[in-house]
Amino acid sequence: MESKFMIYNTLTRKKEVFEPLHAPNVGLYVCGPTVYGDAHLGHARPAITFDVLFRYLKNLGYKVRYVRNITDVGHLEHDADEGEDKIAKKARLEQLEPMEVVQYYTLRYHKAMEALNVLPPSIEPHASGHIIEQIQLVKEILDNGYAYESEGSVYFDVAKYDKTHHYGVLSGRNLDDVLNTTRELDGQNEKRNPADFALWKCAQPQHIMRWPSPWSDGFPGWHCECTAMGRKYLGEQFDIHGGGMDLIFPHHECEIAQGVAAMGHPVVKYWMHNNMITINGQKMGKSYNNFINLSEFFAGSHPLLQQAYSPMTIRFFILQAHYRSTVDFGNEALQAAEKGLQRLMDAWNTLATVTASATTSCVEVTGLRSKCYDAMNDDMNTAQVISHLFDASRIINQLADKKATISAADLDELKEVFSIFAFDILGLKEEKGSNSAREEAYGKVVDMLLEQRQAAKAAKDWATSDKIRNELQALGFEVKDGKEGATWKLNR
């Protein structure tokens, strides 16, 4: 399958034409959440970014196996090799079993993703369900001479690996940089080199989550799970590995080293990373204690929020920026996104009322499809796609106001292109109230009032006509008079 789809490969630091290893099949692996707390806006960005990638690859005709993991063991505090397991700590504080914590927050994560219209991956493996595969990976790295055992733990020998391969190929760091920035932590004396990272950790007596292994009762290092599960479900080589740019080092750098050390060759062809969500210029994250949960956005319950923001407003807000650019949180930006989304949805609903003419006077319609594909093919430029959809919205409003004409074929094309890019690829959807029957009833009441207003206008009863319009506007209904009669919309 030929494709002009260009993606930025973090590994080569340039845009490359996407050419799958085994077309039309595509293997896509994305790092999922560590489930010890609710998903926040920072979690939403990679989920939405790679959801759009998943959707677009399928739109291009590829058969995609999308793997997104659940980290439920081995992720220690501060992403280091010492400290308490994040999930075990939460379990201890809440007096729960660790898997109760995992189950609770995994279900809440799924609920948040569903609200954001993020499609479920093809496979969602849990780290705790693949301990055998991770032990096997550690054995292979040991057998190949790139790891060593120390006091029941197994560590990756970064210095030895760096002699024959480049540790730092993804992040651009060299070993001296890594050594100079590695913090001294308790237990570092187990390591030959402070830059070495754990493949298997011997569990201390108080550590709840532990499994038997050839070296000790313990648990896998954080970096092992993705290498082991990626190989299990996508093979020894696959196309795309994605995640947030905060994972480039050390997590993805370590994944590359593990894969080469175990299998003798690079595993991933394209590495893709989305940029961060920031608050006042600082990364949003649980470790910084500056995050806003998605549930708080949806309810408007966080002190930094001026109002509630719907899931589609959050999705639209994220897609308005290129995935490799930083997005800074702000109420003004979210409110602008809310209005922009409503503008697109209004245009889509208006499109259903447009009637075809013999000819098309708005020539922009014919090039809309190619413009949107060109934008997506340019490293998934969703911001540019949205700009083209806004242009389409302007055309739709002209057509509705009878200021332009469109042929039946071009009208079908406009509807199809708008639907493909707004809904199928960007993953937007119209958000209805919780009671659609009630909203339908409200709509009929407004229509009835407008009929009474039209009758008043016909009788030249301008006072009644103006009163109905003004009172509807006071309630939030925007009334617009046109040649075909009055139309209305509710400005929420």
Side-chain angles (χ1 to χ4, degrees), residues 233-256:
Y233 296 111
L234 299 175
E236 288 202 354
Q237 287 184 297
F238 59 88
D239 298 297
I240 302 173
H241 194 316
M245 67 175 295
D246 56 320
L247 297 177
I248 293 174
F249 188 88
H251 187 46
H252 290 165
E253 195 72 75
C254 294
E255 278 193 59
I256 290 175

PDB file of all heavy atoms in Angstrom, residues 233-256:
ATOM      1  N   TYR A 233       2.801  -9.223  21.436  1.00  0.00           N
ATOM      2  CA  TYR A 233       1.607  -8.960  20.637  1.00  0.00           C
ATOM      3  C   TYR A 233       1.889  -8.360  19.261  1.00  0.00           C
ATOM      4  O   TYR A 233       1.025  -8.399  18.382  1.00  0.00           O
ATOM      5  CB  TYR A 233       0.656  -8.052  21.415  1.00  0.00           C
ATOM      6  CG  TYR A 233       0.137  -8.722  22.661  1.00  0.00           C
ATOM      7  CD1 TYR A 233       0.529  -8.290  23.926  1.00  0.00           C
ATOM      8  CD2 TYR A 233      -0.714  -9.823  22.584  1.00  0.00           C
ATOM      9  CE1 TYR A 233       0.083  -8.921  25.080  1.00  0.00           C
ATOM     10  CE2 TYR A 233      -1.169 -10.468  23.730  1.00  0.00           C
ATOM     11  CZ  TYR A 233      -0.767 -10.015  24.976  1.00  0.00           C
ATOM     12  OH  TYR A 233      -1.200 -10.647  26.103  1.00  0.00           O
ATOM     13  N   LEU A 234       3.092  -7.801  19.059  1.00  0.00           N
ATOM     14  CA  LEU A 234       3.396  -7.162  17.777  1.00  0.00           C
ATOM     15  C   LEU A 234       4.610  -7.758  17.071  1.00  0.00           C
ATOM     16  O   LEU A 234       4.908  -7.389  15.943  1.00  0.00           O
ATOM     17  CB  LEU A 234       3.604  -5.656  17.984  1.00  0.00           C
ATOM     18  CG  LEU A 234       2.388  -4.890  18.539  1.00  0.00           C
ATOM     19  CD1 LEU A 234       2.749  -3.438  18.817  1.00  0.00           C
ATOM     20  CD2 LEU A 234       1.206  -4.962  17.581  1.00  0.00           C
ATOM     21  N   GLY A 235       5.331  -8.652  17.762  1.00  0.00           N
ATOM     22  CA  GLY A 235       6.482  -9.284  17.142  1.00  0.00           C
ATOM     23  C   GLY A 235       7.795  -8.614  17.511  1.00  0.00           C
ATOM     24  O   GLY A 235       7.830  -7.593  18.199  1.00  0.00           O
ATOM     25  N   GLU A 236       8.886  -9.203  17.028  1.00  0.00           N
ATOM     26  CA  GLU A 236      10.213  -8.693  17.372  1.00  0.00           C
ATOM     27  C   GLU A 236      10.534  -7.378  16.676  1.00  0.00           C
ATOM     28  O   GLU A 236      11.484  -6.689  17.057  1.00  0.00           O
ATOM     29  CB  GLU A 236      11.285  -9.735  17.040  1.00  0.00           C
ATOM     30  CG  GLU A 236      11.278 -10.927  17.981  1.00  0.00           C
ATOM     31  CD  GLU A 236      12.601 -11.661  18.007  1.00  0.00           C
ATOM     32  OE1 GLU A 236      13.500 -11.313  17.210  1.00  0.00           O
ATOM     33  OE2 GLU A 236      12.729 -12.590  18.829  1.00  0.00           O
ATOM     34  N   GLN A 237       9.774  -7.034  15.673  1.00  0.00           N
ATOM     35  CA  GLN A 237       9.884  -5.721  15.044  1.00  0.00           C
ATOM     36  C   GLN A 237       8.475  -5.237  14.715  1.00  0.00           C
ATOM     37  O   GLN A 237       7.664  -5.999  14.188  1.00  0.00           O
ATOM     38  CB  GLN A 237      10.724  -5.793  13.764  1.00  0.00           C
ATOM     39  CG  GLN A 237      12.216  -5.983  14.009  1.00  0.00           C
ATOM     40  CD  GLN A 237      13.009  -5.960  12.718  1.00  0.00           C
ATOM     41  OE1 GLN A 237      12.834  -6.803  11.846  1.00  0.00           O
ATOM     42  NE2 GLN A 237      13.895  -4.980  12.597  1.00  0.00           N
ATOM     43  N   PHE A 238       8.199  -3.988  15.039  1.00  0.00           N
ATOM     44  CA  PHE A 238       6.899  -3.427  14.686  1.00  0.00           C
ATOM     45  C   PHE A 238       7.054  -1.956  14.310  1.00  0.00           C
ATOM     46  O   PHE A 238       8.137  -1.378  14.420  1.00  0.00           O
ATOM     47  CB  PHE A 238       5.862  -3.649  15.792  1.00  0.00           C
ATOM     48  CG  PHE A 238       6.200  -3.059  17.135  1.00  0.00           C
ATOM     49  CD1 PHE A 238       5.859  -1.760  17.457  1.00  0.00           C
ATOM     50  CD2 PHE A 238       6.834  -3.833  18.105  1.00  0.00           C
ATOM     51  CE1 PHE A 238       6.144  -1.231  18.712  1.00  0.00           C
ATOM     52  CE2 PHE A 238       7.129  -3.317  19.364  1.00  0.00           C
ATOM     53  CZ  PHE A 238       6.784  -2.014  19.665  1.00  0.00           C
ATOM     54  N   ASP A 239       5.951  -1.363  13.874  1.00  0.00           N
ATOM     55  CA  ASP A 239       6.030  -0.083  13.171  1.00  0.00           C
ATOM     56  C   ASP A 239       6.189   1.147  14.064  1.00  0.00           C
ATOM     57  O   ASP A 239       7.129   1.923  13.899  1.00  0.00           O
ATOM     58  CB  ASP A 239       4.782   0.090  12.290  1.00  0.00           C
ATOM     59  CG  ASP A 239       4.678  -0.988  11.237  1.00  0.00           C
ATOM     60  OD1 ASP A 239       5.572  -1.048  10.382  1.00  0.00           O
ATOM     61  OD2 ASP A 239       3.724  -1.793  11.293  1.00  0.00           O
ATOM     62  N   ILE A 240       5.240   1.353  14.973  1.00  0.00           N
ATOM     63  CA  ILE A 240       5.190   2.629  15.699  1.00  0.00           C
ATOM     64  C   ILE A 240       5.098   2.382  17.199  1.00  0.00           C
ATOM     65  O   ILE A 240       4.313   1.544  17.658  1.00  0.00           O
ATOM     66  CB  ILE A 240       3.971   3.477  15.267  1.00  0.00           C
ATOM     67  CG1 ILE A 240       4.010   3.762  13.753  1.00  0.00           C
ATOM     68  CG2 ILE A 240       3.931   4.801  16.031  1.00  0.00           C
ATOM     69  CD1 ILE A 240       2.756   4.452  13.230  1.00  0.00           C
ATOM     70  N   HIS A 241       5.890   3.120  17.952  1.00  0.00           N
ATOM     71  CA  HIS A 241       5.774   3.159  19.411  1.00  0.00           C
ATOM     72  C   HIS A 241       5.533   4.620  19.788  1.00  0.00           C
ATOM     73  O   HIS A 241       6.284   5.509  19.385  1.00  0.00           O
ATOM     74  CB  HIS A 241       7.054   2.643  20.064  1.00  0.00           C
ATOM     75  CG  HIS A 241       6.907   2.328  21.531  1.00  0.00           C
ATOM     76  ND1 HIS A 241       6.239   3.155  22.414  1.00  0.00           N
ATOM     77  CD2 HIS A 241       7.356   1.277  22.264  1.00  0.00           C
ATOM     78  CE1 HIS A 241       6.285   2.626  23.629  1.00  0.00           C
ATOM     79  NE2 HIS A 241       6.951   1.480  23.563  1.00  0.00           N
ATOM     80  N   GLY A 242       4.475   4.865  20.551  1.00  0.00           N
ATOM     81  CA  GLY A 242       4.117   6.225  20.914  1.00  0.00           C
ATOM     82  C   GLY A 242       4.026   6.436  22.407  1.00  0.00           C
ATOM     83  O   GLY A 242       3.989   5.497  23.198  1.00  0.00           O
ATOM     84  N   GLY A 243       3.972   7.706  22.775  1.00  0.00           N
ATOM     85  CA  GLY A 243       3.821   8.091  24.175  1.00  0.00           C
ATOM     86  C   GLY A 243       4.126   9.567  24.343  1.00  0.00           C
ATOM     87  O   GLY A 243       4.447  10.270  23.373  1.00  0.00           O
ATOM     88  N   GLY A 244       4.031  10.050  25.566  1.00  0.00           N
ATOM     89  CA  GLY A 244       4.366  11.431  25.850  1.00  0.00           C
ATOM     90  C   GLY A 244       5.866  11.654  25.793  1.00  0.00           C
ATOM     91  O   GLY A 244       6.655  10.738  26.042  1.00  0.00           O
ATOM     92  N   MET A 245       6.288  12.889  25.484  1.00  0.00           N
ATOM     93  CA  MET A 245       7.712  13.160  25.335  1.00  0.00           C
ATOM     94  C   MET A 245       8.466  13.016  26.653  1.00  0.00           C
ATOM     95  O   MET A 245       9.684  12.822  26.660  1.00  0.00           O
ATOM     96  CB  MET A 245       7.941  14.561  24.755  1.00  0.00           C
ATOM     97  CG  MET A 245       7.537  15.713  25.651  1.00  0.00           C
ATOM     98  SD  MET A 245       7.992  17.301  24.930  1.00  0.00           S
ATOM     99  CE  MET A 245       9.780  17.199  24.936  1.00  0.00           C
ATOM    100  N   ASP A 246       7.744  13.043  27.779  1.00  0.00           N
ATOM    101  CA  ASP A 246       8.393  12.833  29.074  1.00  0.00           C
ATOM    102  C   ASP A 246       8.894  11.398  29.228  1.00  0.00           C
ATOM    103  O   ASP A 246       9.685  11.106  30.131  1.00  0.00           O
ATOM    104  CB  ASP A 246       7.434  13.182  30.215  1.00  0.00           C
ATOM    105  CG  ASP A 246       6.126  12.411  30.147  1.00  0.00           C
ATOM    106  OD1 ASP A 246       5.604  12.247  29.035  1.00  0.00           O
ATOM    107  OD2 ASP A 246       5.628  11.987  31.197  1.00  0.00           O
ATOM    108  N   LEU A 247       8.448  10.506  28.332  1.00  0.00           N
ATOM    109  CA  LEU A 247       8.883   9.105  28.387  1.00  0.00           C
ATOM    110  C   LEU A 247      10.114   8.825  27.530  1.00  0.00           C
ATOM    111  O   LEU A 247      10.662   7.717  27.578  1.00  0.00           O
ATOM    112  CB  LEU A 247       7.737   8.185  27.940  1.00  0.00           C
ATOM    113  CG  LEU A 247       6.476   8.196  28.806  1.00  0.00           C
ATOM    114  CD1 LEU A 247       5.415   7.299  28.190  1.00  0.00           C
ATOM    115  CD2 LEU A 247       6.775   7.768  30.232  1.00  0.00           C
ATOM    116  N   ILE A 248      10.552   9.828  26.746  1.00  0.00           N
ATOM    117  CA  ILE A 248      11.715   9.602  25.879  1.00  0.00           C
ATOM    118  C   ILE A 248      12.901   9.115  26.701  1.00  0.00           C
ATOM    119  O   ILE A 248      13.566   8.138  26.349  1.00  0.00           O
ATOM    120  CB  ILE A 248      12.073  10.887  25.107  1.00  0.00           C
ATOM    121  CG1 ILE A 248      10.967  11.225  24.096  1.00  0.00           C
ATOM    122  CG2 ILE A 248      13.414  10.723  24.381  1.00  0.00           C
ATOM    123  CD1 ILE A 248      11.175  12.561  23.382  1.00  0.00           C
ATOM    124  N   PHE A 249      13.164   9.802  27.815  1.00  0.00           N
ATOM    125  CA  PHE A 249      14.215   9.354  28.730  1.00  0.00           C
ATOM    126  C   PHE A 249      13.667   9.398  30.152  1.00  0.00           C
ATOM    127  O   PHE A 249      13.072  10.393  30.554  1.00  0.00           O
ATOM    128  CB  PHE A 249      15.459  10.253  28.621  1.00  0.00           C
ATOM    129  CG  PHE A 249      16.631   9.717  29.401  1.00  0.00           C
ATOM    130  CD1 PHE A 249      17.508   8.823  28.818  1.00  0.00           C
ATOM    131  CD2 PHE A 249      16.817  10.070  30.728  1.00  0.00           C
ATOM    132  CE1 PHE A 249      18.581   8.299  29.538  1.00  0.00           C
ATOM    133  CE2 PHE A 249      17.878   9.559  31.465  1.00  0.00           C
ATOM    134  CZ  PHE A 249      18.767   8.671  30.871  1.00  0.00           C
ATOM    135  N   PRO A 250      13.800   8.327  30.927  1.00  0.00           N
ATOM    136  CA  PRO A 250      14.579   7.141  30.593  1.00  0.00           C
ATOM    137  C   PRO A 250      13.781   5.990  29.953  1.00  0.00           C
ATOM    138  O   PRO A 250      14.375   5.070  29.416  1.00  0.00           O
ATOM    139  CB  PRO A 250      15.092   6.692  31.956  1.00  0.00           C
ATOM    140  CG  PRO A 250      13.985   7.060  32.897  1.00  0.00           C
ATOM    141  CD  PRO A 250      13.421   8.359  32.360  1.00  0.00           C
ATOM    142  N   HIS A 251      12.455   6.050  30.029  1.00  0.00           N
ATOM    143  CA  HIS A 251      11.654   4.858  29.735  1.00  0.00           C
ATOM    144  C   HIS A 251      11.890   4.312  28.326  1.00  0.00           C
ATOM    145  O   HIS A 251      12.236   3.132  28.151  1.00  0.00           O
ATOM    146  CB  HIS A 251      10.174   5.166  29.951  1.00  0.00           C
ATOM    147  CG  HIS A 251       9.276   3.971  29.849  1.00  0.00           C
ATOM    148  ND1 HIS A 251       9.549   2.770  30.473  1.00  0.00           N
ATOM    149  CD2 HIS A 251       8.115   3.773  29.179  1.00  0.00           C
ATOM    150  CE1 HIS A 251       8.594   1.899  30.205  1.00  0.00           C
ATOM    151  NE2 HIS A 251       7.709   2.490  29.412  1.00  0.00           N
ATOM    152  N   HIS A 252      11.712   5.147  27.316  1.00  0.00           N
ATOM    153  CA  HIS A 252      11.840   4.638  25.948  1.00  0.00           C
ATOM    154  C   HIS A 252      13.297   4.380  25.563  1.00  0.00           C
ATOM    155  O   HIS A 252      13.574   3.472  24.769  1.00  0.00           O
ATOM    156  CB  HIS A 252      11.162   5.595  24.969  1.00  0.00           C
ATOM    157  CG  HIS A 252       9.673   5.589  25.080  1.00  0.00           C
ATOM    158  ND1 HIS A 252       8.861   6.558  24.536  1.00  0.00           N
ATOM    159  CD2 HIS A 252       8.830   4.707  25.693  1.00  0.00           C
ATOM    160  CE1 HIS A 252       7.597   6.278  24.804  1.00  0.00           C
ATOM    161  NE2 HIS A 252       7.556   5.160  25.507  1.00  0.00           N
ATOM    162  N   GLU A 253      14.197   5.157  26.122  1.00  0.00           N
ATOM    163  CA  GLU A 253      15.618   4.887  25.898  1.00  0.00           C
ATOM    164  C   GLU A 253      15.986   3.496  26.424  1.00  0.00           C
ATOM    165  O   GLU A 253      16.703   2.730  25.761  1.00  0.00           O
ATOM    166  CB  GLU A 253      16.467   5.943  26.604  1.00  0.00           C
ATOM    167  CG  GLU A 253      17.915   5.984  26.145  1.00  0.00           C
ATOM    168  CD  GLU A 253      18.053   6.577  24.746  1.00  0.00           C
ATOM    169  OE1 GLU A 253      17.941   7.807  24.599  1.00  0.00           O
ATOM    170  OE2 GLU A 253      18.289   5.778  23.815  1.00  0.00           O
ATOM    171  N   CYS A 254      15.462   3.175  27.594  1.00  0.00           N
ATOM    172  CA  CYS A 254      15.727   1.858  28.186  1.00  0.00           C
ATOM    173  C   CYS A 254      15.044   0.744  27.399  1.00  0.00           C
ATOM    174  O   CYS A 254      15.593  -0.358  27.266  1.00  0.00           O
ATOM    175  CB  CYS A 254      15.285   1.839  29.646  1.00  0.00           C
ATOM    176  SG  CYS A 254      16.249   2.944  30.710  1.00  0.00           S
ATOM    177  N   GLU A 255      13.858   1.031  26.876  1.00  0.00           N
ATOM    178  CA  GLU A 255      13.187   0.036  26.042  1.00  0.00           C
ATOM    179  C   GLU A 255      14.033  -0.327  24.823  1.00  0.00           C
ATOM    180  O   GLU A 255      14.152  -1.507  24.457  1.00  0.00           O
ATOM    181  CB  GLU A 255      11.835   0.577  25.565  1.00  0.00           C
ATOM    182  CG  GLU A 255      10.704   0.452  26.561  1.00  0.00           C
ATOM    183  CD  GLU A 255       9.374   0.704  25.882  1.00  0.00           C
ATOM    184  OE1 GLU A 255       9.060  -0.042  24.924  1.00  0.00           O
ATOM    185  OE2 GLU A 255       8.668   1.639  26.279  1.00  0.00           O
ATOM    186  N   ILE A 256      14.591   0.691  24.174  1.00  0.00           N
ATOM    187  CA  ILE A 256      15.423   0.437  22.998  1.00  0.00           C
ATOM    188  C   ILE A 256      16.617  -0.433  23.379  1.00  0.00           C
ATOM    189  O   ILE A 256      16.931  -1.427  22.696  1.00  0.00           O
ATOM    190  CB  ILE A 256      15.896   1.763  22.370  1.00  0.00           C
ATOM    191  CG1 ILE A 256      14.715   2.481  21.709  1.00  0.00           C
ATOM    192  CG2 ILE A 256      17.006   1.523  21.344  1.00  0.00           C
ATOM    193  CD1 ILE A 256      15.042   3.860  21.164  1.00  0.00           C
TER     194      ILE A 256
END
